[in-house]
Amino acid sequence: MAVSTRIHGVRLDSAIESEERYAYVSDWYMEVGR
Amino acid sequence: MIRRGLLAVGAGVPLLALVTVLALVFRNVVLGPEMPRPGGTFVEGVVGQLGSLNPLYGEATAGSNDLDALLFEPLVRVLPTGRIEGRLAARWDVSPDGRTYSFTLRPNARWSDGTSVTADDVVFTVRTVQDPQFPGALLNQSWKDIIATAVDSSHVRFALPGHNAGFLANLELLDIVPSHLLAGKSIAELASASPNLNPVGTGPFRMVANLADRIQLERNPFAWRRPWLETITIRSFPSQAAALEALDRGQINSLANLTPSAAAQERGNRDVRVLAASTYQYAELLFNLKSEEPFFQDIKVRQAIAKAIDRTSIIRDVLGGQAIPADGPIPRSITWAYDSAAQQPAHDPAGAAKLLDDAGWVLVNGIRTKGTTSLSFGLTVSSDVPPYERVAEKVADQLAQVGIVAEVRPVTTASLIHDYLNPRTFDMTLTAFDNGPDPDVYTFWHSSQAHPGGFNFAGMKKNVFIDGDLEDGRNTLDLAARAKAYATFQEDFAKELPAVFLYT
């Protein structure tokens, strides 16, 4: 899986089915603030 | 004056540098750490058709159902470590006899139309896949004989006919669908496009538009796990080259399922990260072991075939190095259950030739022959899904080097299943399976599953040790005890060699 460096929080388990790349999609983010 | 100015500059540069360093170091202290904020449009590229948006029918239609994972959820998810994560289920219990599983749904679980998720939704989903008309054979088989009961609106119970420690992994494959929208429809209606057009799920996103070349999703405001991303667009590309070009131009943010060459290319792109993970898939050569098949009854022939095959060169030449050799039906990605001590015979063409000689198959004009019979058989393979046909051709080349004739017979995947695997009419077949994160392969290798309609396609004769290992592996929920049972299974299996495992 190739992901833009603009997308943060993307991680994969050590083994996945194809659709499990979205397992932690709720943690992905593009916007940051303080 | 000039000197003072130089001195001032000389002192000012390090001072400025110090201030800059201090500002950077203490930036987070002064301003607070950067935190994720809601917003942003994430665009993913996929190659080919976008697939089904009906989570129960992805398998039946052989289409990709990756997008279902954004829209729908199962009750639980099983990790490669054996740990279980709750999804729609907040918690669960297993009865002491291991036959009753009770789940409590998340109290805040809602469908993307705002309706509460209830136990009736779960029972409806189970009964749908249990329907004899349901077209997905694997789901239908794995849920056969399981009784689902709604205890109350937020509790559901499953009664199993026997022990099945892999049940939670089965559960992971079952995305729950909304009974309030689908109840009363026939199986044919459920399989039609209608529910695909406006799927209502519990996943973190919900659909906005389903267009010819893209699907647009937005954050599901009712999801129990709220995502940061505002929208996700999935764009279809006709080829990987086109998708890679879009990635390199910044038109998409992500591309999955990269070929080895594409992954290598993108590792040189400073604007993207390449993330890799193992899968649970494996490719194998299945022998037809039913008594009418003349060639594979002799274990020396099976061992000779295993020794004749160079898995390393298949992985290097056909798969671009994007796989590792497999040694059995439990892939090494299931870390807690894989037994590295159970190895297949290593590549050894001379050893293969000797085994064939010992078995009475002598070389006549370059072909192994016994009496008037040549060691010549069909190697049936799916032509639909690359690279299996090319792998089969490479296997045939390698077998030819020891005098075995394997005639590659490409067929469609549907034909492979219906015309060869189910009726057991193949000689040898190259198949690929993905049994998910649980090591329970009872369905594929227990002798009770060798009957027509079962998934023990090889039809291996009853082996009390293998049967016993498989029973032990599913009779307990204790991971250590299961790991021990599966270690013994893998060692017994490697001795019996009913299949040659190629790669995972």
Side-chain angles (χ1 to χ4, degrees):
Chain A
M1 176 181 189
V3 190
S4 162
T5 52
R6 292 183 56 217
I7 315 301
H8 307 284
V10 181
R11 64 191 166 105
L12 303 176
D13 287 317
S14 61
I16 58 168
E17 317 260 11
S18 174
E19 71 274 14
E20 287 181 304
R21 66 182 182 274
Y22 301 128
Y24 305 105
V25 69
S26 297
D27 300 333
W28 299 3
Y29 62 96
M30 299 174 77
E31 307 288 333
V32 291
R34 295 182 190 279
Chain B
M1 188 69 178
I2 292 170
R3 195 174 163 203
R4 283 181 63 188
L6 285 173
L7 280 172
V9 170
V13 169
L15 188 62
L16 186 62
L18 180 64
V19 168
T20 305
V21 168
L22 288 174
L24 287 171
V25 168
F26 292 105
R27 188 168 175 242
N28 282 353
V29 175
V30 175
L31 300 175
E34 282 193 340
M35 300 287 286
R37 293 181 61 179
T41 292
F42 172 80
V43 185
E44 184 182 67
V46 299
V47 178
Q49 294 186 340
L50 291 167
S52 162
L53 290 176
N54 183 331
L56 301 182
Y57 290 88
E59 176 213 338
T61 56
S64 162
N65 56 353
D66 287 6
L67 302 190
D68 295 341
L70 295 167
L71 303 171
F72 294 91
E73 293 175 307
L75 289 177
V76 295
R77 178 165 176 261
V78 182
L79 300 182
T81 55
R83 197 167 71 82
I84 314 293
E85 278 183 354
R87 282 296 197 246
L88 269 180
R91 56 185 181 275
W92 52 93
D93 294 302
V94 186
S95 65
D97 69 359
R99 294 186 179 203
T100 304
Y101 287 68
S102 303
F103 292 84
T104 303
L105 302 179
R106 290 186 184 277
N108 54 346
R110 290 183 179 277
W111 296 102
S112 59
D113 64 2
T115 309
S116 291
V117 177
T118 70
D120 287 338
D121 295 312
V122 180
V123 173
F124 169 77
T125 306
V126 171
R127 291 187 181 156
T128 298
V129 301
Q130 287 177 329
D131 191 299
Q133 303 301 313
F134 182 74
L138 270 177
L139 268 181
N140 186 261
Q141 277 286 320
S142 61
W143 282 91
K144 191 164 62 76
D145 303 327
I146 293 174
I147 299 168
T149 308
V151 178
D152 58 35
S153 65
S154 59
H155 294 86
V156 64
R157 188 172 59 220
F158 300 105
L160 278 55
H163 292 101
N164 182 0
F167 174 67
L168 291 171
N170 282 351
L171 208 52
E172 179 186 43
L173 299 176
L174 189 75
D175 283 328
I176 306 304
V177 296
S179 63
H180 70 283
L181 296 175
L182 304 178
K185 295 182 188 298
S186 69
I187 293 293
E189 285 176 301
L190 290 175
S192 74
S194 171
N196 292 350
L197 293 177
N198 185 22
V200 170
T202 59
F205 291 88
R206 65 180 182 184
M207 202 172 75
V208 176
N210 186 355
L211 308 172
D213 68 338
R214 68 190 64 201
I215 288 176
Q216 291 172 339
L217 311 176
E218 66 178 5
R219 182 191 296 127
N220 175 3
F222 301 103
W224 62 268
R225 45 177 184 146
R226 295 285 301 278
W228 297 108
L229 297 174
E230 185 69 35
T231 60
I232 290 184
T233 297
I234 309 291
R235 276 184 61 187
S236 167
F237 290 87
S239 66
Q240 185 168 259
L244 283 170
E245 190 179 336
L247 181 65
D248 292 342
R249 289 183 175 183
Q251 295 166 342
I252 59 175
N253 303 121
S254 171
L255 182 61
N257 302 320
L258 300 176
T259 60
S261 61
Q265 176 185 324
E266 288 308 314
R267 284 196 176 91
N269 182 348
R270 292 192 328 185
D271 295 328
V272 306
R273 289 188 299 142
V274 176
L275 306 176
S278 305
T279 72
Y280 304 110
Q281 290 176 7
Y282 54 84
E284 65 184 348
L285 293 169
L286 273 183
F287 299 115
N288 190 335
L289 296 172
K290 70 181 181 187
S291 52
E292 303 93 286
E293 283 286 330
F295 301 123
F296 308 125
Q297 300 299 321
D298 187 342
I299 189 161
K300 288 196 176 92
V301 172
R302 304 202 295 274
Q303 289 170 333
I305 288 173
K307 282 177 182 269
I309 292 170
D310 180 1
R311 293 172 293 164
T312 306
S313 74
I314 292 171
I315 292 167
R316 183 190 61 226
D317 300 342
V318 182
L319 305 173
Q322 197 75 347
I324 51 176
D327 283 302
I330 297 178
R332 64 185 73 199
S333 50
I334 306 176
T335 48
W336 63 272
Y338 171 71
D339 177 16
S340 60
Q343 297 280 319
Q344 285 194 158
H347 180 222
D348 177 10
K354 182 172 186 317
L355 280 165
L356 292 170
D357 288 339
D358 292 349
W361 292 97
V362 295
L363 268 180
V364 177
N365 298 325
I367 296 175
R368 293 280 166 181
T369 305
K370 188 188 277 189
T372 57
T373 307
S374 300
L375 188 44
S376 171
F377 49 82
L379 169 51
T380 311
V381 61
S382 166
S383 57
D384 295 348
V385 189
Y388 300 129
E389 191 175 339
R390 287 179 58 216
V391 172
E393 285 163 359
K394 184 89 174 171
V395 165
D397 289 346
Q398 293 176 348
L399 294 180
Q401 289 171 24
V402 297
I404 297 174
V405 179
E407 182 197 333
V408 177
R409 295 176 183 162
V411 298
T412 63
T413 302
S415 175
L416 178 65
I417 294 168
H418 298 297
D419 303 330
Y420 294 92
L421 291 176
N422 282 343
R424 275 69 165 166
T425 54
F426 62 92
D427 298 327
M428 185 160 79
T429 179
L430 192 157
T431 56
F433 286 108
D434 182 341
N435 195 43
D438 193 273
D440 183 4
V441 286
Y442 181 100
T443 309
F444 294 114
W445 292 110
H446 194 275
S447 64
S448 67
Q449 306 301 304
H451 58 84
F455 292 124
N456 182 350
F457 301 114
M460 181 175 59
K461 289 189 182 67
K462 185 177 176 71
N463 177 317
V464 290
F465 298 108
I466 288 177
D467 279 0
D469 299 334
L470 290 172
E471 289 157 17
D472 291 346
R474 60 165 35 190
N475 281 352
T476 176
L477 293 173
D478 179 72
L479 275 195
R482 295 191 74 202
K484 191 175 171 191
Y486 287 121
T488 315
F489 162 71
Q490 288 164 86
E491 286 156 25
D492 291 336
F493 193 91
K495 288 179 202 153
E496 187 75 31
L497 208 65
V500 176
F501 288 81
L502 299 175
Y503 58 84
T504 180

